[in-house]
Amino acid sequence: MNLKIDIKTLKLWLEALYIAEDKEIGGVLFGEHIESDVFKVLEITTQFSDGDQSNFKRNGDEARDEIKKIRSNFKDDNKRYNYLGEWHSHPNSAAVPSETDDKTMFKILGDSATNANFLVLIILRLAGDINLELSARTYLCSGQIIECKIEIES
């Protein structure tokens, strides 16, 4: 899968990571289906609560409410615009998903309310003052995990 992320989104993440300091934070990803395996991140949300130095607990009710709000902005065109997945930070470890992260994504994917064929997880961390390290994986209903190719757009 190819994932396009614009500079505006990167700046939002940088600001949020500075605010959170050494606590894990996260949120949802909402995007556009551009072509067969190309998606663009259009909106992100940020949840600052429920994180500590080595753990982030997603608030499912908050995430569902945020997805509903964003979806309504895009006229509920679910074939083109939809929930892509989740993001969270690893301020004190590598910007790669942990085994717990993998299990959580499959749990979310298996939830009938999610109604998705796949989910993306982006992990971020600050690298110095102005740089972000990030990785992205796609989780499939089949149980496969695929690394995403990330393209930064200006």
Side-chain angles (χ1 to χ4, degrees), residues 115-132:
N115 194 27
N117 297 325
F118 70 90
L119 291 176
V120 172
L121 175 62
I122 295 176
I123 303 291
L124 304 155
R125 80 185 285 267
L126 284 174
D129 288 335
I130 59 170
N131 293 314
L132 279 177

Side-chain angles (χ1 to χ4, degrees), residues 2-16:
N2 296 302
L3 195 59
K4 296 176 181 263
I5 303 172
D6 64 22
I7 297 294
K8 178 189 101 183
T9 301
L10 295 179
K11 287 180 181 177
L12 289 172
W13 276 326
L14 271 172
E15 290 172 15

Side-chain angles (χ1 to χ4, degrees), residues 19-124:
I19 292 168
E21 296 177 343
D22 66 345
K23 292 184 179 174
E24 289 195 12
I25 59 172
V28 298
L29 304 168
F30 195 87
E32 179 180 11
H33 186 192
I34 305 292
E35 54 187 83
S36 65
D37 71 339
V38 179
F39 293 82
K40 180 176 181 175
V41 175
L42 296 176
E43 301 270 348
I44 63 166
T45 66
T46 303
Q47 179 186 328
F48 285 96
S49 59
D50 302 322
D52 60 31
Q53 293 180 346
S54 61
N55 191 2
F56 173 73
K57 184 178 180 208
R58 174 187 191 263
N59 181 320
D61 290 336
E62 184 177 327
R64 279 186 286 281
D65 289 345
E66 291 169 335
I67 292 165
K68 285 179 188 176
K69 284 182 208 170
I70 295 169
R71 188 175 279 150
S72 69
N73 293 338
F74 291 93
K75 311 290 188 253
D76 291 325
D77 181 358
N78 294 340
K79 289 187 179 187
R80 183 171 175 192
Y81 304 102
N82 216 324
Y83 166 64
L84 286 180
E86 307 283 321
W87 73 271
H88 75 262
S89 65
H90 280 183
N92 302 304
S93 61
V96 294
S98 66
E99 186 176 319
T100 300
D101 294 332
D102 291 340
K103 288 178 183 176
T104 300
M105 291 307 291
F106 282 121
K107 182 178 178 184
I108 296 169
L109 190 57
D111 182 345
S112 61
T114 303
N115 194 27
N117 297 325
F118 70 90
L119 291 176
V120 172
L121 175 62
I122 295 176
I123 303 291
L124 304 155

